[in-house]
Amino acid sequence: MSHFAIVGPSGAGKDTLIAAALARRPDLGRVRRVVTRDPDAGGEDIEAVTPAEFARMRAEGRFLLDWNAHGLSYGLRSAAFLDGPKLVNLSRRVLPQAVAALPGLRVIHVFARPEVLAQRLAARGREDADQIAARIARDTGALPAGLDIIHIDNSTTIEAATTAFLAALETVHI
């Protein structure tokens, strides 16, 4: 069974494409991330927990994978991967660990031009203009070598990106 890691910068449209795919592909599921973020911050559907709750869950071994990014802690519950193929929004920095933990994991990299990212991040209202500029300027590093990665440009219309995303999911028989 193949699972799909969806990676890319904030504002690239990963969650939008995941939602579009789930609407058209009932055979797929989504892994809901556990995040130390305010549940009222908006954005993706997450399981919001306090840092203390997250640390307890980590200590109890509840996560298949966990990482820190942008001052937050993220985790994927082990049980989330038990039934059927899943789509999961991941950080590119944890792809090597994810590939080791989930044999057959496929990677889809969603990206957009910097000006598009800036517009989308501003529309979220979570960060001010300086924080957005710093986020976009941050070097996210190269994707890990040796992985078969499908790249999708989501700089234009959501329809074009959704078509490409669905085609990428079809490249693997699940």
mmCIF file of all heavy atoms in Angstrom, residues 73-104:
data_model
loop_
_atom_site.group_PDB
_atom_site.id
_atom_site.type_symbol
_atom_site.label_atom_id
_atom_site.label_comp_id
_atom_site.label_asym_id
_atom_site.label_seq_id
_atom_site.Cartn_x
_atom_site.Cartn_y
_atom_site.Cartn_z
ATOM 1 N N SER A 73 5.637 21.942 17.300
ATOM 2 C CA SER A 73 5.918 20.508 17.231
ATOM 3 C C SER A 73 4.802 19.844 16.434
ATOM 4 O O SER A 73 3.625 20.189 16.588
ATOM 5 C CB SER A 73 5.975 19.900 18.639
ATOM 6 O OG SER A 73 7.048 20.451 19.362
ATOM 7 N N TYR A 74 5.188 18.900 15.583
ATOM 8 C CA TYR A 74 4.264 18.178 14.719
ATOM 9 C C TYR A 74 4.439 16.685 14.947
ATOM 10 O O TYR A 74 5.566 16.211 15.114
ATOM 11 C CB TYR A 74 4.561 18.451 13.241
ATOM 12 C CG TYR A 74 4.362 19.872 12.810
ATOM 13 C CD1 TYR A 74 5.326 20.844 13.052
ATOM 14 C CD2 TYR A 74 3.207 20.246 12.138
ATOM 15 C CE1 TYR A 74 5.143 22.159 12.648
ATOM 16 C CE2 TYR A 74 3.021 21.555 11.720
ATOM 17 C CZ TYR A 74 3.991 22.505 11.981
ATOM 18 O OH TYR A 74 3.809 23.799 11.576
ATOM 19 N N GLY A 75 3.345 15.941 14.906
ATOM 20 C CA GLY A 75 3.432 14.496 15.053
ATOM 21 C C GLY A 75 2.389 13.793 14.216
ATOM 22 O O GLY A 75 1.321 14.348 13.924
ATOM 23 N N LEU A 76 2.727 12.569 13.821
ATOM 24 C CA LEU A 76 1.799 11.705 13.088
ATOM 25 C C LEU A 76 1.558 10.474 13.939
ATOM 26 O O LEU A 76 2.510 9.743 14.271
ATOM 27 C CB LEU A 76 2.396 11.288 11.743
ATOM 28 C CG LEU A 76 2.859 12.402 10.815
ATOM 29 C CD1 LEU A 76 3.473 11.811 9.562
ATOM 30 C CD2 LEU A 76 1.706 13.331 10.466
ATOM 31 N N ARG A 77 0.331 10.257 14.320
ATOM 32 C CA ARG A 77 0.002 9.084 15.138
ATOM 33 C C ARG A 77 0.279 7.805 14.355
ATOM 34 O O ARG A 77 -0.076 7.703 13.178
ATOM 35 C CB ARG A 77 -1.457 9.116 15.558
ATOM 36 C CG ARG A 77 -1.789 10.196 16.564
ATOM 37 C CD ARG A 77 -3.276 10.115 16.903
ATOM 38 N NE ARG A 77 -3.666 11.076 17.888
ATOM 39 C CZ ARG A 77 -3.656 10.842 19.211
ATOM 40 N NH1 ARG A 77 -3.278 9.667 19.657
ATOM 41 N NH2 ARG A 77 -4.038 11.774 20.049
ATOM 42 N N SER A 78 0.860 6.836 15.020
ATOM 43 C CA SER A 78 1.160 5.547 14.385
ATOM 44 C C SER A 78 -0.097 4.898 13.824
ATOM 45 O O SER A 78 -0.088 4.342 12.724
ATOM 46 C CB SER A 78 1.823 4.607 15.397
ATOM 47 O OG SER A 78 3.014 5.162 15.862
ATOM 48 N N ALA A 79 -1.192 4.961 14.560
ATOM 49 C CA ALA A 79 -2.430 4.301 14.153
ATOM 50 C C ALA A 79 -3.043 4.911 12.894
ATOM 51 O O ALA A 79 -3.877 4.281 12.245
ATOM 52 C CB ALA A 79 -3.446 4.363 15.298
ATOM 53 N N ALA A 80 -2.634 6.105 12.515
ATOM 54 C CA ALA A 80 -3.230 6.786 11.360
ATOM 55 C C ALA A 80 -2.967 6.073 10.041
ATOM 56 O O ALA A 80 -3.658 6.313 9.055
ATOM 57 C CB ALA A 80 -2.719 8.222 11.281
ATOM 58 N N PHE A 81 -1.970 5.206 10.000
ATOM 59 C CA PHE A 81 -1.561 4.582 8.741
ATOM 60 C C PHE A 81 -2.040 3.137 8.589
ATOM 61 O O PHE A 81 -1.609 2.438 7.689
ATOM 62 C CB PHE A 81 -0.034 4.630 8.627
ATOM 63 C CG PHE A 81 0.486 6.032 8.506
ATOM 64 C CD1 PHE A 81 0.872 6.737 9.637
ATOM 65 C CD2 PHE A 81 0.562 6.657 7.280
ATOM 66 C CE1 PHE A 81 1.345 8.033 9.539
ATOM 67 C CE2 PHE A 81 1.028 7.958 7.173
ATOM 68 C CZ PHE A 81 1.414 8.642 8.301
ATOM 69 N N LEU A 82 -2.922 2.690 9.464
ATOM 70 C CA LEU A 82 -3.303 1.287 9.473
ATOM 71 C C LEU A 82 -4.289 0.882 8.388
ATOM 72 O O LEU A 82 -4.268 -0.248 7.937
ATOM 73 C CB LEU A 82 -3.875 0.915 10.855
ATOM 74 C CG LEU A 82 -2.892 1.038 12.012
ATOM 75 C CD1 LEU A 82 -3.586 0.701 13.333
ATOM 76 C CD2 LEU A 82 -1.679 0.158 11.796
ATOM 77 N N ASP A 83 -5.161 1.783 7.966
ATOM 78 C CA ASP A 83 -6.214 1.374 7.036
ATOM 79 C C ASP A 83 -6.193 2.194 5.748
ATOM 80 O O ASP A 83 -6.608 3.330 5.715
ATOM 81 C CB ASP A 83 -7.587 1.487 7.713
ATOM 82 C CG ASP A 83 -7.896 2.886 8.167
ATOM 83 O OD1 ASP A 83 -6.963 3.630 8.508
ATOM 84 O OD2 ASP A 83 -9.087 3.261 8.160
ATOM 85 N N GLY A 84 -5.697 1.611 4.704
ATOM 86 C CA GLY A 84 -5.743 2.230 3.389
ATOM 87 C C GLY A 84 -4.677 3.274 3.143
ATOM 88 O O GLY A 84 -4.008 3.745 4.063
ATOM 89 N N PRO A 85 -4.509 3.658 1.865
ATOM 90 C CA PRO A 85 -3.493 4.649 1.503
ATOM 91 C C PRO A 85 -3.858 6.034 2.027
ATOM 92 O O PRO A 85 -5.023 6.408 2.057
ATOM 93 C CB PRO A 85 -3.499 4.615 -0.027
ATOM 94 C CG PRO A 85 -4.824 4.057 -0.399
ATOM 95 C CD PRO A 85 -5.252 3.161 0.718
ATOM 96 N N LYS A 86 -2.841 6.773 2.435
ATOM 97 C CA LYS A 86 -3.044 8.080 3.051
ATOM 98 C C LYS A 86 -2.237 9.168 2.358
ATOM 99 O O LYS A 86 -1.165 8.921 1.808
ATOM 100 C CB LYS A 86 -2.598 8.062 4.514
ATOM 101 C CG LYS A 86 -3.282 7.039 5.373
ATOM 102 C CD LYS A 86 -4.714 7.409 5.634
ATOM 103 C CE LYS A 86 -5.245 6.530 6.725
ATOM 104 N NZ LYS A 86 -6.445 5.920 6.570
ATOM 105 N N LEU A 87 -2.761 10.397 2.456
ATOM 106 C CA LEU A 87 -2.053 11.602 2.058
ATOM 107 C C LEU A 87 -1.658 12.310 3.347
ATOM 108 O O LEU A 87 -2.477 12.447 4.257
ATOM 109 C CB LEU A 87 -2.956 12.527 1.241
ATOM 110 C CG LEU A 87 -3.592 11.942 -0.025
ATOM 111 C CD1 LEU A 87 -4.519 12.971 -0.668
ATOM 112 C CD2 LEU A 87 -2.536 11.487 -0.993
ATOM 113 N N VAL A 88 -0.400 12.757 3.421
ATOM 114 C CA VAL A 88 0.044 13.447 4.624
ATOM 115 C C VAL A 88 0.912 14.641 4.255
ATOM 116 O O VAL A 88 1.798 14.546 3.417
ATOM 117 C CB VAL A 88 0.783 12.493 5.588
ATOM 118 C CG1 VAL A 88 2.004 11.881 4.956
ATOM 119 C CG2 VAL A 88 1.141 13.191 6.893
ATOM 120 N N ASN A 89 0.610 15.773 4.865
ATOM 121 C CA ASN A 89 1.361 17.001 4.694
ATOM 122 C C ASN A 89 2.601 16.887 5.588
ATOM 123 O O ASN A 89 2.476 16.814 6.805
ATOM 124 C CB ASN A 89 0.464 18.178 5.109
ATOM 125 C CG ASN A 89 1.113 19.515 4.933
ATOM 126 O OD1 ASN A 89 2.328 19.636 4.834
ATOM 127 N ND2 ASN A 89 0.291 20.542 4.911
ATOM 128 N N LEU A 90 3.777 16.854 4.980
ATOM 129 C CA LEU A 90 5.022 16.655 5.733
ATOM 130 C C LEU A 90 6.013 17.780 5.497
ATOM 131 O O LEU A 90 5.939 18.486 4.506
ATOM 132 C CB LEU A 90 5.713 15.356 5.298
ATOM 133 C CG LEU A 90 5.256 14.055 5.894
ATOM 134 C CD1 LEU A 90 6.142 12.919 5.399
ATOM 135 C CD2 LEU A 90 5.247 14.083 7.400
ATOM 136 N N SER A 91 6.961 17.856 6.403
ATOM 137 C CA SER A 91 8.109 18.745 6.235
ATOM 138 C C SER A 91 9.167 17.997 5.432
ATOM 139 O O SER A 91 9.440 16.821 5.704
ATOM 140 C CB SER A 91 8.678 19.122 7.608
ATOM 141 O OG SER A 91 9.929 19.744 7.470
ATOM 142 N N ARG A 92 9.779 18.684 4.471
ATOM 143 C CA ARG A 92 10.815 18.028 3.661
ATOM 144 C C ARG A 92 11.975 17.541 4.515
ATOM 145 O O ARG A 92 12.646 16.593 4.172
ATOM 146 C CB ARG A 92 11.294 18.950 2.555
ATOM 147 C CG ARG A 92 12.130 20.117 3.039
ATOM 148 C CD ARG A 92 12.635 21.023 1.950
ATOM 149 N NE ARG A 92 11.541 21.660 1.265
ATOM 150 C CZ ARG A 92 11.568 22.026 -0.004
ATOM 151 N NH1 ARG A 92 12.641 21.870 -0.709
ATOM 152 N NH2 ARG A 92 10.539 22.596 -0.555
ATOM 153 N N ARG A 93 12.208 18.192 5.662
ATOM 154 C CA ARG A 93 13.318 17.796 6.526
ATOM 155 C C ARG A 93 13.138 16.417 7.139
ATOM 156 O O ARG A 93 14.109 15.801 7.541
ATOM 157 C CB ARG A 93 13.525 18.828 7.635
ATOM 158 C CG ARG A 93 14.166 20.108 7.098
ATOM 159 C CD ARG A 93 14.351 21.091 8.197
ATOM 160 N NE ARG A 93 13.028 21.611 8.538
ATOM 161 C CZ ARG A 93 12.761 22.409 9.534
ATOM 162 N NH1 ARG A 93 13.708 22.779 10.346
ATOM 163 N NH2 ARG A 93 11.541 22.850 9.745
ATOM 164 N N VAL A 94 11.913 15.920 7.235
ATOM 165 C CA VAL A 94 11.690 14.602 7.838
ATOM 166 C C VAL A 94 11.433 13.513 6.793
ATOM 167 O O VAL A 94 11.111 12.389 7.141
ATOM 168 C CB VAL A 94 10.561 14.622 8.886
ATOM 169 C CG1 VAL A 94 10.909 15.535 10.045
ATOM 170 C CG2 VAL A 94 9.234 14.974 8.285
ATOM 171 N N LEU A 95 11.605 13.850 5.521
ATOM 172 C CA LEU A 95 11.369 12.834 4.487
ATOM 173 C C LEU A 95 12.236 11.587 4.660
ATOM 174 O O LEU A 95 11.724 10.473 4.502
ATOM 175 C CB LEU A 95 11.554 13.429 3.088
ATOM 176 C CG LEU A 95 10.375 14.235 2.567
ATOM 177 C CD1 LEU A 95 10.716 14.874 1.231
ATOM 178 C CD2 LEU A 95 9.128 13.380 2.464
ATOM 179 N N PRO A 96 13.527 11.699 4.984
ATOM 180 C CA PRO A 96 14.304 10.463 5.164
ATOM 181 C C PRO A 96 13.728 9.556 6.259
ATOM 182 O O PRO A 96 13.627 8.341 6.081
ATOM 183 C CB PRO A 96 15.705 10.966 5.526
ATOM 184 C CG PRO A 96 15.786 12.320 4.885
ATOM 185 C CD PRO A 96 14.391 12.890 5.044
ATOM 186 N N GLN A 97 13.308 10.148 7.377
ATOM 187 C CA GLN A 97 12.705 9.357 8.451
ATOM 188 C C GLN A 97 11.347 8.793 8.021
ATOM 189 O O GLN A 97 11.005 7.655 8.360
ATOM 190 C CB GLN A 97 12.528 10.208 9.723
ATOM 191 C CG GLN A 97 13.820 10.689 10.317
ATOM 192 C CD GLN A 97 14.230 12.071 9.810
ATOM 193 O OE1 GLN A 97 14.055 12.419 8.632
ATOM 194 N NE2 GLN A 97 14.805 12.876 10.688
ATOM 195 N N ALA A 98 10.581 9.577 7.269
ATOM 196 C CA ALA A 98 9.275 9.129 6.805
ATOM 197 C C ALA A 98 9.411 7.954 5.844
ATOM 198 O O ALA A 98 8.653 6.984 5.926
ATOM 199 C CB ALA A 98 8.527 10.281 6.138
ATOM 200 N N VAL A 99 10.377 8.035 4.943
ATOM 201 C CA VAL A 99 10.601 6.943 3.986
ATOM 202 C C VAL A 99 11.019 5.670 4.728
ATOM 203 O O VAL A 99 10.589 4.572 4.385
ATOM 204 C CB VAL A 99 11.642 7.368 2.926
ATOM 205 C CG1 VAL A 99 12.105 6.190 2.098
ATOM 206 C CG2 VAL A 99 11.043 8.455 2.028
ATOM 207 N N ALA A 100 11.839 5.826 5.764
ATOM 208 C CA ALA A 100 12.253 4.659 6.555
ATOM 209 C C ALA A 100 11.073 4.065 7.318
ATOM 210 O O ALA A 100 10.953 2.842 7.434
ATOM 211 C CB ALA A 100 13.371 5.060 7.524
ATOM 212 N N ALA A 101 10.189 4.914 7.826
ATOM 213 C CA ALA A 101 9.060 4.446 8.626
ATOM 214 C C ALA A 101 7.911 3.912 7.773
ATOM 215 O O ALA A 101 7.128 3.076 8.234
ATOM 216 C CB ALA A 101 8.545 5.581 9.512
ATOM 217 N N LEU A 102 7.813 4.387 6.540
ATOM 218 C CA LEU A 102 6.709 4.017 5.657
ATOM 219 C C LEU A 102 7.254 3.516 4.317
ATOM 220 O O LEU A 102 7.316 4.266 3.340
ATOM 221 C CB LEU A 102 5.793 5.221 5.426
ATOM 222 C CG LEU A 102 5.053 5.743 6.654
ATOM 223 C CD1 LEU A 102 4.506 7.137 6.402
ATOM 224 C CD2 LEU A 102 3.938 4.781 7.038
ATOM 225 N N PRO A 103 7.663 2.264 4.243
ATOM 226 C CA PRO A 103 8.186 1.731 2.978
ATOM 227 C C PRO A 103 7.183 1.951 1.838
ATOM 228 O O PRO A 103 5.981 1.802 2.018
ATOM 229 C CB PRO A 103 8.367 0.239 3.270
ATOM 230 C CG PRO A 103 8.520 0.169 4.761
ATOM 231 C CD PRO A 103 7.643 1.262 5.304
ATOM 232 N N GLY A 104 7.702 2.362 0.688
ATOM 233 C CA GLY A 104 6.848 2.623 -0.469
ATOM 234 C C GLY A 104 6.264 4.020 -0.491
ATOM 235 O O GLY A 104 5.486 4.342 -1.388
#
